[in-house]
Amino acid sequence: MMNKSKTSYTWRWKVATFIPMLFILLFACRNTGGTLKTDGTLGANMLKSTSIEIEGAWKYVLSEKISNGNKMVLIAPGSAYNEMKIWTKGFFAFVGNQGMGDYPYGGSGTYTLNGNMYEESVIYAPGYNPGSPKVKLRLEIVNDTLTQIWPVDDAGKYDIQNYNIIKMVRMKE
């Protein structure tokens, strides 16, 4: 017994506080959000999008169409496709070449944003029918990346076998 070192009460308190703090930290960091789930909803950060966050210029970096479970990439990083979308309070405009060389493409319209439910009505675009209904989308903004998914229902859910997704990055001033 004389050769056995005694454990200090200070060390015990350090261990007793460290372990619960470690679990709290792991629990807080377990869901970083922003990822597409397979149940037809977006990640946890969906609840923080506001119309103020969307205002500004955004460059398209990725566009995919999923049809009957088959993915078709429309825009990929480094492609010839070059388009941007600009939002102001209640209005949007888009312009680019859609990868068709010098052929310009663009349009404009109005939008409403309620939380992450985004609805836009195109006023003008080449080949656009003015009688077309408004488009409902689910929107997520994480850091400088904006993600749109459509079509969605009134609850913001989409069919995981048939949807479109666009990712844009905020353009720097």
Side-chain angles (χ1 to χ4, degrees):
M1 293 290 274
M2 291 178 67
N3 292 334
K4 188 175 180 184
S5 62
K6 294 182 179 179
T7 306
S8 73
Y9 287 105
T10 307
W11 183 84
R12 288 180 185 171
W13 278 106
K14 286 180 183 178
V15 170
T17 14
F18 174 75
I19 290 174
M21 293 300 281
L22 178 64
F23 282 110
I24 290 170
L25 180 64
L26 290 173
F27 181 77
C29 297
R30 71 176 166 57
N31 187 0
T32 57
T35 56
L36 189 64
K37 297 179 185 178
T38 57
D39 65 352
T41 61
L42 287 177
N45 292 335
M46 288 298 299
L47 301 175
K48 68 178 206 168
S49 301
T50 66
S51 59
I52 293 171
E53 290 177 344
I54 198 174
E55 290 179 14
W58 299 79
K59 180 179 178 13
Y60 287 56
V61 292
L62 176 71
S63 177
E64 295 176 345
K65 179 176 184 71
I66 288 66
S67 180
N68 295 319
N70 298 314
K71 183 188 329 185
M72 178 175 34
V73 177
L74 305 172
I75 305 170
S79 70
Y81 187 94
N82 191 8
E83 187 170 334
M84 66 182 274
K85 194 167 187 176
I86 302 167
W87 280 276
T88 62
K89 195 170 204 103
F91 297 93
F92 71 91
F94 56 94
V95 64
N97 68 6
Q98 293 196 343
M100 299 177 206
D102 293 331
Y103 176 74
Y105 180 79
S108 61
T110 60
Y111 77 91
T112 57
L113 181 61
N114 184 10
N116 301 94
M117 292 303 298
Y118 173 87
E119 189 173 80
E120 70 179 27
S121 179
V122 176
I123 296 170
Y124 170 78
Y128 170 72
N129 177 1
S132 296
K134 294 180 179 182
V135 178
K136 290 182 183 180
L137 303 102
R138 186 81 189 206
L139 182 108
E140 176 183 63
I141 299 172
V142 177
N143 299 324
D144 285 340
T145 302
L146 183 148
T147 303
Q148 290 182 319
I149 291 188
W150 80 97
V152 297
D153 63 16
D154 290 337
K157 293 204 175 211
Y158 58 93
D159 176 0
I160 62 170
Q161 294 294 311
N162 298 288
Y163 67 94
N164 300 283
I165 184 168
I166 291 178
K167 289 195 180 268
M168 300 177 226
V169 293
R170 186 181 296 276
M171 297 175 71
K172 304 296 181 199
E173 296 178 10

